[in-house]
Amino acid sequence: MIMVGHISCPNVTGNNIPASLSGQMINEILRGDLGFEGIVITDGMNMGAISESYTADQAAIEAVLAGVDLILMPEDFQSAYYGVLQAVQNGSIPEDRINESLRRILELKLRKM
């Protein structure tokens, strides 16, 4: 597992999006360039770097789309949960994206048994 923080890396990505919400940082660099195949978890989503700029549902949706598998401590759990659920139902988050995370989590659990 790797925990992604909420730092921004404008010299790498060209923008100020926190790494925990950045598909460029997670999918392209961490998973693509570095070949990481394990679980990616966010740092606490209730931290100011996220909660001052994003609602709980926005942050959760962006994190999932960026490639995060587990979301740690959303500021409002119900809002984050229902936001992701609705995004899957309306197609904003492909169900395959959720299945990717589920596969990684189940593979880790099965290895540890």
Side-chain angles (χ1 to χ4, degrees), residues 43-108:
D43 202 347
M45 297 292 270
N46 60 346
M47 298 171 90
I50 300 297
S51 65
E52 291 175 8
S53 299
Y54 301 87
T55 63
D57 58 330
Q58 289 172 327
I61 291 165
E62 292 301 319
V64 170
L65 288 171
V68 165
D69 300 304
L70 295 171
I71 298 170
L72 181 64
M73 297 169 47
E75 186 172 43
D76 178 341
F77 175 80
Q78 286 190 338
S79 174
Y81 170 78
Y82 287 113
V84 170
L85 182 63
Q86 184 176 24
V88 172
Q89 290 172 342
N90 72 24
S92 298
I93 297 175
E95 193 170 334
D96 287 347
R97 173 63 203 91
I98 299 299
N99 291 337
E100 289 172 17
S101 291
L102 179 59
R103 180 188 52 77
R104 287 186 196 104
I105 294 164
L106 290 175
E107 284 176 355
L108 179 64

